[in-house]
Amino acid sequence: MKIGIGLWCLQSTATSPRSFTQNYGDLIADSVLAEQVGVHSLWLSEHHVYYDGYCPALIPAAAAALSATSRLEVGTGVLLLPLASADRVSSAAQNLTERFDGRFHLGVGMGYRPNEFAAKGFDISDRVKRMNAGLDLLAQHRPSPLWVGVTSEIAARRAGRRGLGLFISGAFSSTVVNSLIEAHREAWEGAGSPGGERPAVGLLRNLWLADTPSERRQALDWVRSSYLVYAGLGWGADSTGVDFTAQVEASMDEVEASAIVGNADEIAENLESYDVDLVVCRIGYDQPPRSALTEVIERIGTELVPRMASS
Amino acid sequence: MRIGLDLRKSSDPAEREALARQADLLGVWAVLVGGGPSGTEVSEAASIAISTNNVHLAVWVDGSSEHPLTLAEEISILDHLSERRALPVIAAEPQIITRVQQFLDGCSVDGFHLVPPPAQTIVPVWDASEVSVVELTGDLVKDRVTIDTERDNGTTHLFVSWPGNIETMVRHLSTRALVNDFPQLVADLADLLPENNWSQ
């Protein structure tokens, strides 16, 4: 099982205001550190026209992180495909694949904010049609390793029947995760196993390496508060049945319940229960100070990665 | 007049990046990249951004292939990655260029704002059809005439493709472009000085 880190969103939020320029400088520093300590990959995330500057252009940010490193793989987790020209995304991904020896991963998702579609001149009611057309184009060209971000079994099947990798959102219980993996696998097999090799499955997990009870409580509070961002964005995960906007406390409880906070042995034991190829440790929260973030990157690389190498 | 180095004649991204690093060390005002497949332009500039410190990153973008907001978003991120060195050159209809500029200026366009705003207070968006680009020959006698003509005709920023050593271009032509009374003797004598061996 490969271990990556995410999600780098590069925001300046109401809870933790900071310099955007500094954020992008930190992205480079974090990429270099992740590579030094043996992390497999770093993943970026995208939104548009949101007050906190949530990164709206992942390809340039990925290019910079790839340029600063020589082994680290960099992925989009996820790029919102219906909001972009799929042809242009494919060209950009192909370009990064060629320039960086296959270290770029293109993860795509559908998007859910009406504002983002309106800002780009699209009707959100067309998003499934645009997503399917974009996935068909990417599946045909295969410009890089491809992942489809999903929050529902319908979306998992959409990826599976095209032979595309699965990138499972972070706040789900193991039951939901397993149902998404099963739907993906069934759809792939039902479509005649396109590509011949079972497409990879990636799992985003809210986690933090911490030892003492007070550190663990702090980490869980960071996980909880990070979902204020998603409440603001109006996100509701289809499979949880939880409405992040209307039920903020219930949502935070749900997220906390799915988070894995502990020492490397405890986290490794939890992760080993999933039948996935890649785990992206979601550590890019809003509130941790930089010293805490760099420490957890180091610990993931030096403590968790070796434990998961044989899984 | 300022001289920028047009790197688009090189087909090798690694060579373009190496030339950009050299230009950066030699104080060249800007490098011009882009013009390849749509969607790849800004990512190449982003790569150059993190291996250079001072050179401006002029990026020739096909403005007809994406929404103006998407173009503005990419440029804004490049501006942060490069710490205020983004210089977009957009090939598109004038109304598209105007909309990209409005987004970068912080205006509301159709009710939406660009977030994050760029790092620079003002990011100048250049119309590709109005950008001065010349192909120099490497023959300094001929190229001096080209530079003098452009400068004396009022060109303020000129992108040149240059077939030779960048240091030669900077010594003889970037300098000359700045004023109309460049002391050519200094450049000629500089060519004759022994190499600096201090580091050895």
Side-chain angles (χ1 to χ4, degrees), chain B residues 12 27 101 123 143 162:
Chain B
D12 178 4
Q101 182 74 73
V123 176
D143 292 336
W162 172 252

PDB file of all heavy atoms in Angstrom, chain B residues 12 27 101 123 143 162:
ATOM      1  N   ASP B  12      12.530  21.730 -26.826  1.00  0.00           N
ATOM      2  CA  ASP B  12      12.836  20.893 -25.667  1.00  0.00           C
ATOM      3  C   ASP B  12      12.547  21.661 -24.371  1.00  0.00           C
ATOM      4  O   ASP B  12      13.219  22.654 -24.081  1.00  0.00           O
ATOM      5  CB  ASP B  12      14.317  20.486 -25.730  1.00  0.00           C
ATOM      6  CG  ASP B  12      14.730  19.656 -24.527  1.00  0.00           C
ATOM      7  OD1 ASP B  12      13.865  19.334 -23.690  1.00  0.00           O
ATOM      8  OD2 ASP B  12      15.937  19.351 -24.419  1.00  0.00           O
ATOM      9  N   GLY B  27      20.318  38.581 -15.540  1.00  0.00           N
ATOM     10  CA  GLY B  27      19.524  39.798 -15.385  1.00  0.00           C
ATOM     11  C   GLY B  27      18.615  40.125 -16.544  1.00  0.00           C
ATOM     12  O   GLY B  27      18.169  41.276 -16.676  1.00  0.00           O
ATOM     13  N   GLN B 101      -8.298  40.619 -18.010  1.00  0.00           N
ATOM     14  CA  GLN B 101      -7.720  41.762 -17.277  1.00  0.00           C
ATOM     15  C   GLN B 101      -8.643  42.193 -16.141  1.00  0.00           C
ATOM     16  O   GLN B 101      -8.188  42.475 -15.025  1.00  0.00           O
ATOM     17  CB  GLN B 101      -7.474  42.928 -18.240  1.00  0.00           C
ATOM     18  CG  GLN B 101      -6.823  44.150 -17.583  1.00  0.00           C
ATOM     19  CD  GLN B 101      -5.349  43.920 -17.280  1.00  0.00           C
ATOM     20  OE1 GLN B 101      -4.529  43.897 -18.190  1.00  0.00           O
ATOM     21  NE2 GLN B 101      -5.016  43.760 -15.998  1.00  0.00           N
ATOM     22  N   VAL B 123      -1.626  43.109 -12.599  1.00  0.00           N
ATOM     23  CA  VAL B 123      -0.981  42.197 -13.553  1.00  0.00           C
ATOM     24  C   VAL B 123      -1.316  42.704 -14.956  1.00  0.00           C
ATOM     25  O   VAL B 123      -2.479  42.688 -15.353  1.00  0.00           O
ATOM     26  CB  VAL B 123      -1.492  40.751 -13.394  1.00  0.00           C
ATOM     27  CG1 VAL B 123      -0.877  39.851 -14.470  1.00  0.00           C
ATOM     28  CG2 VAL B 123      -1.162  40.216 -12.015  1.00  0.00           C
ATOM     29  N   ASP B 143      22.332  42.762 -35.848  1.00  0.00           N
ATOM     30  CA  ASP B 143      21.366  42.790 -34.739  1.00  0.00           C
ATOM     31  C   ASP B 143      21.373  44.136 -34.015  1.00  0.00           C
ATOM     32  O   ASP B 143      20.342  44.566 -33.492  1.00  0.00           O
ATOM     33  CB  ASP B 143      21.662  41.641 -33.768  1.00  0.00           C
ATOM     34  CG  ASP B 143      21.367  40.281 -34.396  1.00  0.00           C
ATOM     35  OD1 ASP B 143      20.547  40.232 -35.344  1.00  0.00           O
ATOM     36  OD2 ASP B 143      21.969  39.277 -33.963  1.00  0.00           O
ATOM     37  N   TRP B 162      17.197  34.325 -29.933  1.00  0.00           N
ATOM     38  CA  TRP B 162      18.627  34.575 -30.055  1.00  0.00           C
ATOM     39  C   TRP B 162      19.340  33.238 -30.229  1.00  0.00           C
ATOM     40  O   TRP B 162      19.172  32.338 -29.396  1.00  0.00           O
ATOM     41  CB  TRP B 162      19.135  35.301 -28.808  1.00  0.00           C
ATOM     42  CG  TRP B 162      20.615  35.444 -28.714  1.00  0.00           C
ATOM     43  CD1 TRP B 162      21.446  34.772 -27.871  1.00  0.00           C
ATOM     44  CD2 TRP B 162      21.448  36.300 -29.485  1.00  0.00           C
ATOM     45  NE1 TRP B 162      22.736  35.166 -28.065  1.00  0.00           N
ATOM     46  CE2 TRP B 162      22.781  36.100 -29.055  1.00  0.00           C
ATOM     47  CE3 TRP B 162      21.197  37.223 -30.515  1.00  0.00           C
ATOM     48  CZ2 TRP B 162      23.853  36.780 -29.598  1.00  0.00           C
ATOM     49  CZ3 TRP B 162      22.277  37.908 -31.052  1.00  0.00           C
ATOM     50  CH2 TRP B 162      23.590  37.681 -30.595  1.00  0.00           C
TER      51      TRP B 162
END
